[in-house]
Amino acid sequence: ERARKIIHMYEEMGIDKSRILIKLAGTWEGIQAAKILQKEGINCNITLVFSFLQAAAAAQAGAYLISPFPGRILDWHKQQGGKEGYHPDADPGVLATKRMYAFFRKYGYDTICMPSSWRPSRGADVVGSDVDEILALAGVDEMTIPPALLEALMERDGSEVTKQCDASSDAATCCDPDFKLTKDGFEGY
């Protein structure tokens, strides 16, 4: 109901709802709210996406975009006894985000994959590692990149930025089935 009120408020000011993105948490309830709002033409961003199941459920609900957090996924793996540093191509957050992106492209979901929340894959003590995840996900639909990391990217040689995500080739490598999630399956994971 709150999202509809916000949309109405903006429409009264002459701002079309197509210019507004409602941000919802990647919980089952948030994703189901997005399903309803998307059917009403209200675009939603499912945020706080840490797992493939959240991403799949959001795509199946018709969410406009998701915001996976590769840096926080990496943090979790480190806290669970994972290594202190990873090659960017082996970074658990990068791998999770690539899996989400590949799933969307393989099954024709229109949901945009827009990662944010970045960490240095190789470790904070490695010079230049602050943009590891950004470089490893170059080519994904969109990214949210804070000013400090944009500055770090600008200081690099342009040849260091190469396309790492490609809709066609990533879709071809997706091994996940297009299963339909239920609330029990989602929450039981």
Side-chain angles (χ1 to χ4, degrees), residues 3 6 25 34 38-39 43 65 72 74 79 85 91 102 106 145 162-163:
I6 292 168
Q38 288 290 158
K39 286 180 181 174
N43 286 332
L65 71 82
R72 292 194 189 175
L74 176 62
Q79 290 171 357
D91 177 321
K106 179 173 184 172
I145 304 174
T162 59
K163 189 173 187 179

Side-chain angles (χ1 to χ4, degrees), residues 122-144:
R122 295 172 288 155
D125 58 335
V126 178
V127 175
S129 67
D130 51 345
V131 293
D132 282 349
E133 291 179 329
I134 294 168
L135 294 173
L137 290 167
V140 74
D141 296 321
E142 298 178 14
M143 293 182 178
T144 301

Side-chain angles (χ1 to χ4, degrees), residues 103-122:
F103 178 81
F104 292 175
R105 301 297 78 87
K106 179 173 184 172
Y107 296 109
Y109 290 109
D110 293 328
T111 302
I112 294 166
C113 185
M114 186 179 76
S116 61
S117 179
W118 310 101
R119 301 291 187 275
S121 298
R122 295 172 288 155

Side-chain angles (χ1 to χ4, degrees), residues 52-53 56 60 99 103-104 106-107 109 174-181:
F52 173 74
L53 287 183
Q60 291 171 3
R99 182 180 178 197
F103 178 81
F104 292 175
K106 179 173 184 172
Y107 296 109
Y109 290 109
C174 176
C175 298
D176 292 297
D178 190 15
F179 54 91
K180 298 299 177 205
L181 286 166

